[in-house]
């Protein structure tokens, strides 16, 4: 079987340049001239391994002929001055064959080599080895086209039976150096390779969400990315406080709430302290139905908690989740109301904690990460949201909604652990009053 290494000894051409003008022990039958084999004749060598039938010139095989060897292999083609030289065909008992150019008994020049397993190579040879440009169709259906040196691939494209294509450099028959592979499932990798594995800087893109893609552009080692996103963290509201967000077009701005003087005289009441601007890291999000969603920032983190800046393209959904918050246990209520007397109530056994129940989930917006970060802007809050009645009732959940299509390449995690932020839903702004009919203007009947 022909391998990517040297041609097996069984496929090598034994030297037959042992023609003797005065053969000893051999048997010749054919034309002669001046006592030498000359013309057409058949000769069986003294060692019984070779037999030749064809053209002779001055005692040497020269022209066209057929050389049969003791192992069952046969060469038929051109000879020059006793050597296999020129165009010819060599066949082996294993089923292998070569048709093409020979020089001094070796495959040299252009030709076609068929291996016992059905591998079919067309291209250039030197000293019985693939050397130069060639195209090889393997028994498994893959096709390589490119450059060879001493039977090894050094540069070119390999198309696998499943349709995946690699184009790039090779070393010792392995993908090594710079190269790109487009996989049958639609994903691709372009970058550095070592021993047919992703290694060094490279960009991997996997198809997701009907035409969109998830990408990793960074360092690789032994076929795996060095920094993989594992979770998401909400960085907060960017810029202005959520309550100051401009309303949607057509909606009037929300009116400021007047200070309450309930239980106090206006004389005793102190003016409320000036409102401080929200920090960019504000974690509670306040939204107004029908208004613009405040700009939100989110970061993907790796397992060490560092920003996964090498990754882009994750689809993140922002959902409003509303919970039914269970009533506080009686003991806790009594403790708040009774002060010191709460000690008597605190002796009661504590009621088991009841987790809030999710009662509503509403899609708010979505966006894709870039360099491991998402900045969500220019989204509008749905108008039909109910205002929240407590600080614990609502939250904004950030969910990795990336839908990876089925494929063999799974070097990137299909979904990250999500995160959430407390949220307050305000009352929607009042609808603008309907335009009153101008009483002074004449009616249509009066106009007529």
């Amino acid at each position: 079987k022909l391998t990517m290494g040297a041609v097996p000894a069984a496929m090598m051409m034994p030297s037959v340049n042992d023609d003797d003008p005065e053969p000893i022990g051999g048997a010749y039958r054919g034309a002669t001239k001046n006592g030498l084999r000359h013309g057409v004749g058949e000769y069986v060598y003294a060692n019984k391994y070779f037999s030749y039938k064809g053209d002779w010139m001055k005692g040497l095989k020269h022209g066209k002929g057929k050389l049969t060897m003791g192992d069952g292999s046969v060469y038929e083609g051109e000879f020059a001055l006793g050597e296999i030289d020129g165009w010819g065909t060599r066949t082996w008992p294993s089923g292998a064959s070569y048709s093409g150019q020979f020089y001094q008994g070796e495959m040299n020049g252009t030709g076609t080599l068929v291996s016992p397993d059905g591998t079919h190579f067309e291209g250039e040879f030197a000293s019985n080895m693939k050397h130069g440009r060639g195209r090889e169709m393997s028994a498994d259906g893959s096709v390589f086209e490119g450059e060879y040196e001493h039977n090894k691939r050094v540069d070119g494209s390999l198309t696998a039976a499943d349709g995946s294509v690699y184009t790039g450099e090779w070393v010792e028959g392995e993908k090594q150096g710079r190269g790109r592979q487009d996989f049958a499932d639609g994903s691709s990798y372009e970058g550095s390779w070592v021993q047919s594995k992703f290694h060094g800087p490279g960009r991997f893109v996997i198809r997701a969400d009907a035409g969109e893609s998830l990408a990793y552009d960074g360092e690789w080692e032994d076929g795996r990315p060095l920094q993989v996103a594992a979770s998401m963290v909400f960085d907060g509201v960017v810029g202005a406080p959520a309550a100051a967000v401009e309303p949607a077009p057509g909606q009037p701005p929300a009116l400021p709430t007047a200070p309450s003087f309930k239980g106090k005289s206006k004389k005793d009441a102190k003016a409320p302290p000036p409102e401080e601007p929200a920090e960019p890291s504000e974690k509670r999000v306040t939204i107004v139905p029908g208004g613009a969603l405040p700009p939100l920032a989110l970061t993907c983190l790796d397992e060490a908690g560092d920003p996964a800046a090498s990754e882009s393209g994750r689809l993140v959904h922002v959902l409003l989740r509303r919970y039914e918050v269970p009533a506080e246990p009686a003991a806790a209520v009594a403790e708040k109301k009774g002060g010191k007397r709460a000690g008597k109530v605190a002796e009661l056994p504590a009621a088991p904690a009841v987790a809030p129940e999710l009662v509503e989930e509403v899609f708010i917006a979505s966006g894709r990460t870039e360099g491991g970060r998402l900045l969500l802007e220019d989204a509008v809050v749905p108008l039909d949201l109910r205002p929240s009645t407590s600080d614990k009732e609502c939250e904004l959940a950030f969910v990795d909604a990336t839908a990876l299509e089925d494929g063999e390449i799974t070097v990137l995690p299909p979904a990250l652990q999500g995160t959430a932020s407390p949220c307050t839903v305000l009352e929607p702004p009042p609808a603008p009053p309907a335009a009153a009919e101008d009483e002074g203007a004449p009616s249509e009947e009066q106009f007529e």
Side-chain angles (χ1 to χ4, degrees):
K1 177 180 178 180
L2 184 69
T3 66
M4 289 300 295
V7 175
M11 296 177 66
M12 299 291 285
M13 178 66 71
S15 175
V16 292
N17 192 13
D18 57 350
D19 295 300
D20 185 353
E22 301 294 335
I24 300 175
Y28 175 75
R29 184 174 59 187
T32 61
K33 184 179 181 180
N34 298 328
L36 300 176
R37 289 160 278 177
H38 193 91
V40 178
E42 182 176 358
Y43 178 57
V44 178
Y45 285 74
N47 61 13
K48 308 297 182 183
Y49 187 85
F50 295 109
S51 65
Y52 172 78
K53 183 178 182 179
D55 296 332
W56 296 80
M57 187 182 73
K58 296 181 181 181
L60 301 174
K61 298 182 290 294
H62 191 87
K64 293 187 177 180
K66 180 178 180 180
L67 180 67
T68 303
M69 284 147 275
D71 63 357
S73 60
V74 176
Y75 169 79
E76 189 167 1
E78 296 177 340
F79 291 79
L81 301 177
E83 279 288 1
I84 293 173
D85 204 320
W87 290 90
T89 298
R90 172 88 185 268
T91 60
W92 287 265
S94 65
S97 65
Y98 171 80
S99 296
Q101 291 178 296
F102 288 82
Y103 177 71
Q104 293 187 351
E106 294 183 332
M107 296 180 288
N108 211 98
T110 60
T112 298
L113 177 67
V114 180
S115 300
D117 66 354
T119 298
H120 191 276
F121 176 83
E122 297 178 10
E124 298 175 331
F125 291 81
S127 302
N128 275 337
M129 292 182 287
K130 304 166 193 172
H131 194 87
R133 191 77 183 170
R135 184 173 189 268
E136 185 171 58
M137 295 170 285
S138 300
D140 62 5
S142 62
V143 178
F144 175 81
E145 188 166 1
E147 294 290 330
Y148 286 80
E149 288 183 2
H150 308 296
N151 262 348
K152 307 291 186 181
R153 298 168 178 171
V154 294
D155 191 80
S157 290
L158 175 66
T159 303
D162 64 359
S164 62
V165 179
Y166 171 81
T167 303
E169 299 175 60
W170 299 73
V171 173
E172 294 293 322
E174 298 279 0
K175 303 168 189 174
Q176 187 150 321
R178 293 288 302 178
R180 175 187 174 92
Q181 178 141 353
D182 293 286
F183 297 91
D185 63 5
S187 57
S188 65
Y189 172 81
E190 185 170 7
S192 179
W193 297 72
V194 172
Q195 295 185 343
S196 296
K197 294 181 179 180
F198 311 156
H199 196 95
R203 177 178 175 82
F204 179 84
V205 179
I206 186 167
R207 188 174 56 186
D209 306 316
E212 298 295 341
S213 59
L214 175 64
Y216 175 87
D217 193 348
E219 291 293 324
W220 297 76
E221 186 175 279
D222 199 29
R224 309 296 301 180
L226 288 183
Q227 187 187 50
V228 176
S231 63
M232 298 183 291
V233 61
F234 177 55
D235 298 322
V237 178
V238 179
V245 174
E246 293 292 330
Q251 298 291 336
L255 298 176
T257 304
S260 174
F261 297 101
K262 187 176 180 180
K264 302 179 182 178
S265 67
K266 291 187 177 182
K267 182 179 179 180
D268 297 333
K270 295 182 180 179
E275 191 172 313
E276 296 182 2
E279 295 293 329
S281 60
E282 181 67 39
K283 293 301 180 73
R284 174 171 289 276
V285 181
T286 302
I287 60 177
V288 179
L293 184 71
L296 307 177
L298 177 141
T299 301
C300 296
L301 303 178
D302 61 15
E303 293 183 352
D306 297 322
S310 299
E311 189 185 276
S312 296
R314 285 202 177 271
L315 177 63
V316 179
H317 283 180
V318 182
L319 309 174
L320 176 73
R321 289 176 176 168
R322 191 182 300 272
Y323 295 89
E324 183 177 323
V325 182
E328 292 185 277
V333 174
E335 183 176 356
K336 290 180 180 179
K337 293 182 177 180
K340 295 182 179 180
R341 291 177 298 171
K344 299 178 181 180
V345 183
E347 297 176 0
L348 297 175
V354 180
E357 179 183 358
L358 178 64
V359 295
E360 185 182 31
E361 187 173 77
V362 180
F363 175 82
I364 302 296
S366 66
R368 290 191 177 274
T369 61
E370 182 65 35
R373 192 167 187 266
L374 171 67
L375 179 58
L376 192 61
E377 298 179 295
D378 304 323
V380 178
V381 180
L383 185 60
D384 57 352
L385 292 182
R386 294 184 291 112
S388 53
T389 58
S390 75
D391 291 343
K392 299 181 180 180
E393 182 180 354
C394 295
E395 70 176 11
L396 279 187
F398 301 86
V399 179
D400 183 0
T402 310
L404 302 185
E405 299 188 7
D406 293 337
E408 296 180 0
I409 308 302
T410 56
V411 295
L412 299 179
L416 302 184
Q417 176 184 338
T419 185
S421 171
C423 177
T424 298
V425 183
L426 300 180
E427 288 278 358
E437 186 175 347
D438 189 349
E439 298 179 357
S443 66
E444 190 173 327
E445 295 177 357
Q446 291 172 334
F447 182 77
E448 291 178 354

